[in-house]
Amino acid sequence: MFAYAGQAILHGIIAALFVEALLRLWRVGEPDERLALRWLALAAPLLVTPIYSLAAPVRATGSFGVRWALFSGHHWDQLRLGGTDLTTFVTLVLMGLGLLLFLRDVLPYLHDRMRTIAETRVTDPGDPRLARLRRVLALIPDSPSIDADVVLIDRDGPVLLCSGAGRRPSVLASTGALARLDDAELRAALSHEVSHLVRHDPQAGWVLLLLRTLQIVSPAAQIVGRHIVQELEYRADMTVAREGYSAELVRAIARLSQADPALSNPERRARPEFRRRLVAHTRRLAEEARRCRLEEAAPETRSVAPIRAVLAAAGLALLLFFVV
Amino acid sequence: MPHTPSAPVGGIRVGPSVRSYAAELTTSCLWLVALMVAAALLLRLIDSTPSLLTGLPRGVVRLHSVAALEHVLGNRVPAPAYFPASLAWPPDDIRMFQRQSVALWFRQRPTNEIWFVQAMAPAGSSAIAPEVMAPGVILQSEPALLSGAPALVQRIRDTNGVVWHQILWRTNRHLLLARSRGSLDELMRMAASMDRR
């Protein structure tokens, strides 16, 4: 079981690097194709590793490892570190890293979700803020098709997200977010959330969480999972850009992130200054990258995308067959 | 929109979109093949790193004790009941290839030189894998009997030019080889004292 976990982790790392290289070599800009390739990297260890283990037991023999394998973890058994072989040591370190990355993303998510559920909601239909939210949402062409619940949370902090967990999809916004955005910016931000709902991204998020949980000790799966979330965001951003609201979305992102309590809350400022600066710097870089992508011309859809996805899957499967 | 004339290809006239589609697909395939070749070379290079660091052939594992070897094999390793005092125990080196062929290297106490080598492989094997012990050049080879069982006694010269005696025989479970720089009588006595199962 431990050897299988080690091989699945190794396959995950190779799949992630393989897909990352393909995205660059093929210059894939179209969000759907980028997403398809990322999903391939995430799913490959869950499909390929068990199939090969069951259907091709010859891969586990020593002669395959020596004569045919491109890489065999057993060859590292001869190097020892701290009383154990290097293969076991590296596998344990990677498992710990994978678990850490998983918890790093999931715990804050669960915390925020529980907090959002418990928060006071503005339910008065006559409340002008709720009325404004509904009015701006109605301006978005796709909003009637999704028939989303509109939820206004009474919080100063910036919250603007969508959820597909209930019977009906919902768009959640906080009073703090509404106060910081003008109508055009709010429309751009809501259009981004509606795009998520139209494409069933919240459901994709649950599938993503499931696949990450199944590979809880694989660091590559956790990193690819993060990349998939970024690609989903990018795809929603592109929808807003196509509607001609990219400048407004850039402004909305800037205003909401300035009000993020992670950077401005006095309680949180007590943490080490260097860490606060690092977080702020990383956020700035991410926002800058997002802004640049929004200002770029939208990538064209390529008709070769489906064939390329199949080719990538076949190539990756072939490569992983010789990694034991 | 001006009409773009299409070029004849193989007797069929195809439009520019088809040509660009084919070109892009070809380029994509070439990049994919290049990436796979590069990935294969890189993986093979990383795989050979332990061999480069330890100086052992690919697939050969060095074990630190006979107990560790028996743990990996899941079997007891046959050992000579007669073991001259001039040889040092435990073995100086234990090498295993594909969890099948194994060689144990022993030093002589006064000279500290490798003096005795015991190697084994599963009963069905035709030979001890050369990765754990180089076969050497056979100078003389004679059939013999070892405790009533057929054996092959040989005189060989190894890659360093050193002459050894060796005995090769089979038991129910193993193909066994004992090689020594000492006298043939002593080697025969050691081999005969090994577990016969």
Side-chain angles (χ1 to χ4, degrees), chain A residues 16 45 113 129 165 232-233:
Chain A
R113 189 163 182 85
R129 295 166 301 181
L232 290 171
E233 294 301 321

Side-chain angles (χ1 to χ4, degrees), chain A residues 3 6-7 10-11 14 52 56 58-61 64-66 68-75 319-324, chain B residues 47:
Chain A
Q7 190 170 132
L10 182 61
H11 281 181
I14 292 170
Y52 284 168
V58 67
R59 292 171 67 256
T61 60
F64 183 90
V66 172
W68 296 101
L70 295 169
F71 181 93
S72 169
H74 288 306
H75 294 169
L319 194 65
L320 293 183
F321 187 83
F322 296 97
V323 176
V324 293
Chain B
D47 187 62

